[in-house]
Amino acid sequence: MARKDKKQASQPAWAHRVAGRAVNVSLGDPVVKGVIPGNPVGLLERKLLDNGIEVEIPDWGQQPPPNEADKISLRIARVGSSDYVDLKTETYPSPITGFPQIITIPSDFLLDTSNEGPFELWYVHFNYVETETASSRVPIVIDKIPPNFPDVPGKVTFGFGGGPIFDTTLNGLTDIEGTVPSWTGAAEGDQIAFTWLPDKLPEDPENIDPIDVVPGTDGKVKIPVATIKALPDGRYCCGYTLIDKAGNRSLISAYDLIPVALGDLPPSTMVSPTVPEASDGIINRADAYTGVHVEFPRIPNGKETDEIEIVWGSNPVSIRTPVGVNPERFSLPVPIMHMKDEYGVNTGEVDTPVYYTVYRGGVAFESEKQTVVKVDFFKPGPENPDWPDPTNPALLAPKVFGQSGVENVLEANDEDQPIRADITLVAPLADGDTYQVYWNSKAIGTPYIIDTVNDTAGDTVSIDLDWAVIKPEGNSAKMPVHYTLSNSAAAHNDDSSVVAHVQIDFLKINLPLAEPQNLIGSTTKRLTCRSLVSEGGEIGFHYLIPPSDY
């Protein structure tokens, strides 16, 4: 027994190991999710960085004893650097289950702009007595820099230049080929996502809906002719975004707007327009008030979607008109404020060119030659905020006084007595400014003519009114009275004042006597039986009702 005891006492320590005792372990490589196959080895998919990258830690083959725990520390370092970052440390109490264990590389680290390029990733296992064992290192590449960053990629160029594209451009072709210029940071796996859109490209490269995505090896893109013909006429841009292997997208490319005009085209020049309101030789305020139109015949080969642009003066009107059903004759209104702006601060008659242009897909077809009309919007007196309305609110309403002295009320004792209209002069005044009063739209009184030596803005001038004009207009609780302001230097554009309403209710209408007809008698004329006439089955006398002023 003593020998047996002695033998047992001489056994080495390892002979007494039990399950769970601390030993060095053999560790498998970490498995990084989201790695793109190929070169560069370990490239991470860009869209996964925002939420962190999961790393699988395989079973390390040993369990800590009950109530003990192992730890795993995930580490990263730049290639060739002895400095590393402890990304995360996780503790795993016994018993450990659920392999592989998942540790996530934090998004904060991945998205940090200073963390870019190739790295090495590994983990360190600490057993329950802090014995440390490191795994092998695996490469990862963090790439958050888009191609051509930070610049906008260049324009696609085509063999036909910047257009336009007609049917003849596309004849015999299945597609048109464009060339993408070289870009900075070009690398294996770069792709071109390109599109063909009207008017503009989206600002966000993620919003491009590509016709195709092609390798960036030769910089060629092809727009199918069928795609071009399936879209309406317009101005189109071929644009693209560059996508690198990690999935980074460049900014949207620069682009030209290429006119596309298909089908039979309008003639290169078209019939000159007319302006019917200028038939009297002038376009004035009254024409602007009732409406001014540019007219021309139907558009040869016009399409419903073709657009017509009117040019009045030096600039086109703000809105183009679709050809639509292409009527036999177009009559398009000219906006009043456009006409006023084009006239500007001129005085007197101004020769104003008028023409129209038909646009198909941005291609212009102009009228044969301009029509020139004379425009005169020059007016006397203050600016009219309601132009071209003939009533200028800056011209204050007249005040009418009779002998009774009651403003805008005429009484019975005023009849046949002096009566006047008072007008307050408003700046600016000019020699020759002429104020004419109107009673129920009938001119009344002698016009007052301004002499700037004697007249000043703010003065009140009086115009005597005539009962001979007043009486035929009769009674009214609100007889309209106003005045006009004119000047021979602005002959086409009188302004009217605000209307005053005058109460007059005492006038008596004395009508002339009816005159009997067919009177009989050599000296004394009288109605007799022989004066009777038959009309419409009835017999009677004829009377003549003489005309009157009422």
Side-chain angles (χ1 to χ4, degrees):
M1 290 295 293
R3 185 178 178 182
K4 183 177 180 182
D5 293 339
K6 182 177 179 181
K7 182 178 179 181
Q8 288 176 339
S10 65
Q11 287 180 334
W14 55 262
H16 299 279
R17 289 176 182 166
V18 294
R21 192 163 182 179
V23 295
N24 289 331
V25 293
S26 178
L27 301 179
D29 294 345
V31 178
V32 183
K33 293 186 177 181
V35 170
I36 301 170
N39 292 318
V41 177
L43 178 65
L44 299 177
E45 193 173 349
R46 170 62 185 86
K47 68 181 181 181
L48 301 181
L49 304 185
D50 296 338
N51 296 316
I53 296 292
E54 292 185 346
V55 179
E56 293 182 354
I57 308 298
D59 190 346
W60 51 85
Q62 180 179 328
Q63 291 279 342
N67 301 318
E68 299 290 348
D70 287 356
K71 294 181 181 179
I72 296 293
S73 178
L74 189 63
R75 295 178 178 179
I76 194 168
R78 294 188 179 277
V79 172
S81 173
S82 58
D83 295 330
Y84 66 87
V85 174
D86 262 321
L87 294 172
K88 208 167 191 181
T89 298
E90 297 285 1
T91 300
Y92 300 94
S94 178
I96 305 171
T97 59
F99 286 99
Q101 302 297 328
I102 303 296
I103 301 180
T104 300
I105 304 175
S107 60
D108 289 350
F109 178 88
L110 296 168
L111 298 177
D112 189 326
T113 55
S114 64
N115 295 329
E116 190 77 22
F119 290 81
E120 292 179 324
L121 182 76
W122 72 99
Y123 65 94
V124 177
H125 171 266
F126 297 90
N127 66 11
Y128 68 97
V129 292
E130 298 295 327
T131 301
E132 178 180 332
T133 306
S135 73
S136 298
R137 299 186 177 201
V138 296
I140 65 169
V141 177
I142 302 172
D143 181 5
K144 303 183 293 293
I145 299 177
N148 211 62
F149 185 80
D151 299 321
V152 172
K155 301 174 183 178
V156 178
T157 55
F158 295 92
F160 54 81
I165 294 176
F166 299 118
D167 285 345
T168 52
T169 313
L170 305 178
N171 285 345
L173 301 178
T174 56
D175 51 56
I176 57 173
E177 184 176 83
T179 301
V180 173
S182 59
W183 58 90
T184 58
E188 178 185 340
D190 285 354
Q191 294 180 301
I192 304 168
F194 64 95
T195 190
W196 179 262
L197 291 174
D199 300 325
K200 65 180 181 178
L201 295 175
E203 295 182 2
D204 187 344
E206 296 291 340
N207 292 337
I208 268 202
D209 184 13
I211 290 174
D212 200 358
V213 180
V214 297
T217 49
D218 63 359
K220 300 297 183 184
V221 296
K222 293 183 178 181
I223 312 298
V225 168
T227 297
I228 297 172
K229 288 188 173 182
L231 295 168
D233 300 313
R235 299 201 302 167
Y236 286 82
C237 44
C238 181
Y240 63 93
T241 181
L242 300 167
I243 308 173
D244 64 19
K245 190 172 182 179
N248 295 295
R249 291 186 176 229
S250 72
L251 297 172
I252 295 287
S253 70
Y255 57 89
D256 288 320
L257 286 174
I258 301 172
V260 177
L262 304 179
D264 293 334
L265 301 175
S268 56
T269 57
M270 280 168 290
V271 176
S272 298
T274 60
V275 181
E277 291 79 12
S279 60
D280 60 356
I282 197 74
I283 295 293
N284 60 7
R285 177 203 55 75
D287 294 317
Y289 186 61
T290 56
V292 176
H293 300 79
V294 176
E295 296 188 350
F296 46 88
R298 70 181 305 153
I299 307 301
N301 296 327
K303 276 181 159 183
E304 184 177 353
T305 53
D306 291 347
E307 293 184 318
I308 302 167
E309 179 181 80
I310 300 296
V311 177
W312 181 280
S314 301
N315 297 289
V317 301
S318 58
I319 299 176
R320 292 179 179 177
T321 302
V323 168
V325 297
N326 201 7
E328 288 297 326
R329 189 162 188 83
F330 285 89
S331 182
L332 303 182
V334 184
I336 57 175
M337 295 313 297
H338 179 89
M339 291 188 290
K340 186 178 182 183
D341 290 343
E342 289 299 308
Y343 185 80
V345 295
N346 287 292
T347 59
E349 298 177 1
V350 175
D351 286 341
T352 303
V354 180
Y355 63 97
Y356 64 99
T357 302
V358 176
Y359 286 93
R360 179 176 298 178
V363 180
F365 305 89
E366 293 187 355
S367 52
E368 185 176 7
K369 61 180 180 180
Q370 299 175 351
T371 295
V372 177
V373 298
K374 292 186 181 298
V375 178
D376 185 1
F377 293 149
F378 181 58
K379 59 173 286 300
E383 186 70 19
N384 183 353
D386 297 334
W387 188 94
D389 191 308
T391 299
N392 186 344
L395 296 177
L396 305 178
K399 297 178 181 179
V400 177
F401 293 94
Q403 189 175 17
S404 60
V406 181
E407 181 180 326
N408 293 336
V409 176
L410 295 182
E411 299 178 351
N413 60 356
D414 292 323
E415 186 173 3
D416 295 327
Q417 300 301 312
I419 181 174
R420 74 180 192 274
D422 287 352
I423 296 171
T424 301
L425 302 182
V426 180
L429 301 180
D431 287 331
D433 282 354
T434 301
Y435 291 82
Q436 172 67 63
V437 177
Y438 287 83
W439 185 281
N440 199 26
S441 300
K442 304 293 191 303
I444 185 171
T446 302
Y448 186 91
I449 301 175
I450 293 293
D451 178 352
T452 54
V453 173
N454 301 315
D455 295 313
T456 305
D459 290 351
T460 298
V461 298
S462 297
I463 295 178
D464 293 332
L465 307 183
D466 304 321
W467 281 103
V469 176
I470 295 173
K471 288 182 177 181
E473 299 306 311
N475 295 314
S476 174
K478 292 184 176 181
M479 180 66 69
V481 180
H482 75 286
Y483 59 88
T484 59
L485 170 57
S486 62
N487 193 304
S488 59
H492 303 295
N493 300 293
D494 298 354
D495 259 1
S496 294
S497 73
V498 176
V499 175
H501 293 98
V502 177
Q503 177 181 330
I504 179 170
D505 56 13
F506 56 82
L507 293 176
K508 295 179 180 179
I509 299 175
N510 297 313
L511 296 176
L513 295 175
E515 299 174 359
Q517 304 297 299
N518 303 320
L519 295 177
I520 305 299
S522 58
T523 302
T524 302
K525 302 294 185 180
R526 57 178 62 85
L527 291 171
T528 71
C529 294
R530 294 170 58 192
S531 302
L532 293 169
V533 295
S534 176
E535 187 174 293
E538 295 183 356
I539 298 175
F541 297 112
H542 267 180
Y543 278 81
L544 175 66
I545 306 299
S548 75
D549 294 330
Y550 299 96

